[in-house]
Amino acid sequence: MRTRYWAACLAAVPVLISAALAQDATALRTRGLAATCANCHGTDGRTQGETVPTLAGRDRELIASRLREFRDGKRPATVMHQLAKGYTEEQIDTLAAYFAALKN
Amino acid sequence: MDRRRFLQGAAAVGISGSLGCASTGAVPSKGRVVVIGGGYGGATAAKYTRLFSGGAIDVTLVEPNAAFVSCPISNLVIGGTKTLADLTTGYDALTSKHGVKRVRDSVVGIDATGKTVKLASGDTLAYDKLVVSPGIDLMYDRIEGLQAANAGGQVLQAWKAGPETVALRAQLEAMPDGGVYAITIPEAPYRCPPGPYERACQVASYFKRAKPRSKVLILDANQDVTSKGPLFKRVWAEQYKGIVEYRPQHNAIQVDARAKAVKFDVQQDVKADVLNVLPPMRAGSIAVQSGLANVNSRWCNVDYQTFEATAMKDVHVIGDSIQIAPLMPKSGHMANSHAKVAAAAIVARLLGIEVNPVPMLTNTCYSFVDDKNVIHVASVHRYDADKKTFLTVPGSGGVSAAPSEVEGQYALSWARNIWADTLG
């Protein structure tokens, strides 16, 4: 059964040699932080549907400034003005850099 | 620390979907994780353990059901504007996109010393880290007569979305105009704090358009509405005036299925045409039976930084089963958030790197007050190393100003995205 399982996996899933092992604690922390956005914005910020914006591949400065505008009450929102207040300056910069570096 | 290299790698993982069964190739397996339960918590933990480890950790998900049925949005089935099929998502993508091995079975025992779980089929699975996400069990025995009344189909809970959700809808459809629907709410904590009040709104919305002489009675064991109280009360007073009646401090202790009556510990009996009784709740049975539920045999204490159980080493409990931190609701969104923190901690430990000292959680709970208008409660939680618990970040979070159709759009978008984030 085990052999069949691996065989099925090998056939079905591409194996990347340049494995993105999250061996670095900071990198793992960043992915964990970004995952707090994924519930509403999709895994790695790749959104389902048109209602909520995709984050992956967006401009770094744009993501950071939007978050700060929500946090400071300068941009109207339904929920983001409440959620953005939960993140520090450093976390906002980290999130912006992470999502900007992803491909949409 | 080489963030750029990692980020490039992360992007590559995103494009391919996952590394899949990378342990057969260049990356040797860094460990085996078994996940019990394929709900919002367990399915997310399985997926994110694969994602965060770049496919280096083998993950097996044990879940008896063929597909995931969401509790969030299920009140719309009771209101009549969604079907159960709308809430149902298969588990296939966890395997095809993320390389999660699935076993359709139930876990009947945990051997924390030998680090194995025993399945109902008799097989055992070995683990290095175990994730337990069994959701809740309903304590029917706390309300006299409820077990039989539920088994006979007369008094439904419909709190675990599935056949009872559809059956409750059928009872409402069969009820004549001028009838009474009553829902009883147990003392907090229970799964989905705003859920019973949303359900009352959904039934009232249906009555208003189809059976306008009918009534909705909310019989709450708590002192007051436990979530979004002012918003719900305004909706009941304005939108459902003369339809919804809210009665606090009604702790149900007995049901009579034939007389369709509920008895309370103090207050007078109530009769209704459709009785929807929610008994007290506790952690899912495997958590109770294995000894993980070490808070009054109901909930599981965890080290919040990692969600490792205080009762067992290398066993992480997430979702509705845990003893909650302050202001932490038992919700699907929260279970998904727990899962990511637990997955990151498991990956860190199995790969030998530092565990995040300040993990974060978010929560957003949307409630439909009719078929289109929605209210929310949102919060952001940060681990406090001194207090060893999650605390809400001061100034963050809040509720809607008023129900709106815009939030209705966001609620449906939320559902689509979290289902994909959990299972896709």
Side-chain angles (χ1 to χ4, degrees):
Chain A
M1 164 151 177
R2 200 158 173 82
T3 314
R4 216 183 315 148
Y5 164 66
W6 289 123
C9 276
L10 275 173
V13 182
V15 176
L16 292 186
I17 303 302
S18 60
L21 269 185
Q23 280 168 327
D24 179 278
T26 303
L28 184 57
R29 274 181 74 170
T30 299
R31 293 199 77 182
L33 182 68
T36 66
C37 308
N39 319 50
C40 300
H41 288 272
T43 304
D44 270 335
R46 295 187 180 89
T47 306
Q48 309 286 313
E50 308 291 321
T51 308
V52 168
T54 277
L55 304 174
R58 299 291 290 275
D59 181 72
R60 180 176 171 164
E61 286 308 315
L62 178 77
I63 297 172
S65 63
R66 283 281 159 85
L67 279 169
R68 292 193 169 97
E69 285 166 20
F70 284 132
R71 181 195 64 191
D72 299 338
K74 291 176 181 158
R75 176 171 283 271
T78 53
V79 66
M80 275 312 297
H81 60 304
Q82 296 165 348
L83 294 174
K85 290 188 181 77
Y87 296 85
T88 64
E89 291 287 346
E90 189 191 352
Q91 285 174 327
I92 286 174
D93 289 336
T94 301
L95 287 170
Y98 177 79
F99 286 117
L102 295 177
K103 294 212 169 112
N104 180 19
Chain B
M1 180 186 62
D2 186 346
R3 185 175 297 179
R4 191 183 305 151
R5 185 172 53 101
F6 171 75
L7 287 170
Q8 286 165 349
V13 173
I15 292 160
S16 72
S18 91
L19 289 170
C21 306
S23 56
T24 54
V27 187
S29 173
K30 299 286 185 184
R32 295 159 302 178
V33 170
V34 171
V35 181
I36 302 174
Y40 279 99
T44 304
K47 170 175 164 176
Y48 273 83
T49 300
R50 296 286 297 166
L51 284 178
F52 286 160
S53 70
I57 294 170
D58 297 332
V59 177
T60 302
L61 175 65
V62 184
E63 163 59 48
N65 292 318
F68 165 95
V69 182
S70 175
C71 285
I73 312 293
S74 70
N75 279 332
L76 297 190
V77 177
I78 291 162
T81 57
K82 290 275 180 200
T83 66
L84 210 57
D86 296 329
L87 320 178
T88 304
T89 308
Y91 289 111
D92 298 347
L94 286 179
T95 304
S96 62
K97 284 176 70 180
H98 303 291
V100 172
K101 187 182 176 190
R102 286 180 295 129
V103 174
R104 196 171 165 191
D105 207 333
S106 301
V107 171
V108 293
I110 299 170
D111 176 357
T113 312
K115 299 181 87 166
T116 59
V117 296
K118 191 165 196 292
L119 305 179
S121 65
D123 289 348
T124 58
L125 292 172
Y127 66 82
D128 297 305
K129 301 282 183 189
L130 179 66
V131 178
V132 181
S133 187
I136 47 127
D137 261 11
L138 298 161
M139 302 168 79
Y140 290 109
D141 59 351
R142 290 289 186 93
I143 298 179
E144 197 182 331
L146 182 58
Q147 183 86 66
N150 183 262
Q154 297 104 328
V155 180
L156 302 173
Q157 38 90 8
W159 210 238
K160 295 188 178 188
E164 285 205 25
T165 312
V166 177
L168 180 58
R169 173 66 193 169
Q171 286 189 350
L172 292 167
E173 285 176 338
M175 190 191 87
D177 190 10
V180 174
Y181 161 83
I183 181 168
T184 75
I185 305 171
E187 278 183 0
Y190 57 86
R191 165 180 280 182
C192 190
Y197 313 112
E198 179 193 54
R199 180 170 294 181
C201 291
Q202 284 300 308
V203 175
S205 177
Y206 166 60
F207 285 171
K208 196 172 171 177
R209 64 177 186 267
K211 298 175 181 179
R213 294 189 297 113
S214 308
K215 300 269 182 275
V216 173
L217 262 183
I218 307 168
L219 305 160
D220 195 340
N222 298 287
Q223 299 293 316
D224 202 349
V225 177
T226 61
S227 178
K228 310 175 203 175
L231 285 163
F232 277 121
K233 285 178 176 173
R234 202 191 316 157
V235 168
W236 298 334
E238 292 172 5
Q239 199 168 338
Y240 301 123
K241 190 170 167 32
I243 298 176
V244 172
E245 184 184 335
Y246 177 73
R247 297 184 190 166
Q249 296 175 288
H250 275 65
N251 186 33
I253 56 166
Q254 191 183 345
V255 297
D256 183 336
R258 216 172 312 158
K260 291 194 174 167
V262 196
K263 279 189 192 303
F264 301 90
D265 55 357
V266 177
Q267 317 282 3
Q268 285 207 317
D269 300 3
V270 168
K271 282 193 173 193
D273 299 275
V274 176
L275 262 184
N276 184 189
V277 174
L278 307 179
M281 300 170 198
R282 69 178 183 195
S285 61
I286 186 65
V288 174
Q289 168 222 314
S290 64
L292 284 166
N294 52 3
V295 182
N296 300 327
S297 295
R298 280 182 76 176
W299 310 111
C300 308
N301 253 327
V302 296
D303 161 14
Y304 291 110
Q305 190 189 348
T306 61
F307 288 87
E308 187 172 24
T310 59
M312 285 179 202
K313 196 174 176 314
D314 297 320
V315 177
H316 298 248
V317 185
I318 56 172
D320 292 345
S321 281
I322 70 159
Q323 170 74 0
I324 51 173
L327 302 174
M328 179 189 277
K330 294 187 182 295
S331 73
H333 192 128
M334 188 49 83
N336 169 293
S337 292
H338 291 172
K340 291 163 179 172
V341 172
I346 286 167
V347 169
R349 284 182 174 164
L350 289 176
L351 300 188
I353 59 181
E354 188 205 1
V355 172
N356 186 353
V358 258
M360 304 270 294
L361 306 166
T362 54
N363 187 69
T364 308
C365 285
Y366 290 103
S367 301
F368 280 82
V369 302
D370 52 36
D371 58 337
K372 289 193 181 65
N373 290 282
V374 163
I375 53 178
H376 79 263
V377 57
S379 51
V380 183
H381 308 246
R382 186 168 53 208
Y383 181 70
D384 184 308
D386 292 333
K387 298 196 170 77
K388 297 193 186 308
T389 191
F390 275 99
L391 299 176
T392 52
V393 179
S396 72
V399 297
S400 311
S404 70
E405 289 194 19
V406 174
E407 287 212 42
Q409 292 299 312
Y410 279 110
L412 295 174
S413 168
W414 169 88
R416 213 174 144 188
N417 274 288
I418 199 166
W419 293 340
D421 188 43
T422 301
L423 299 148

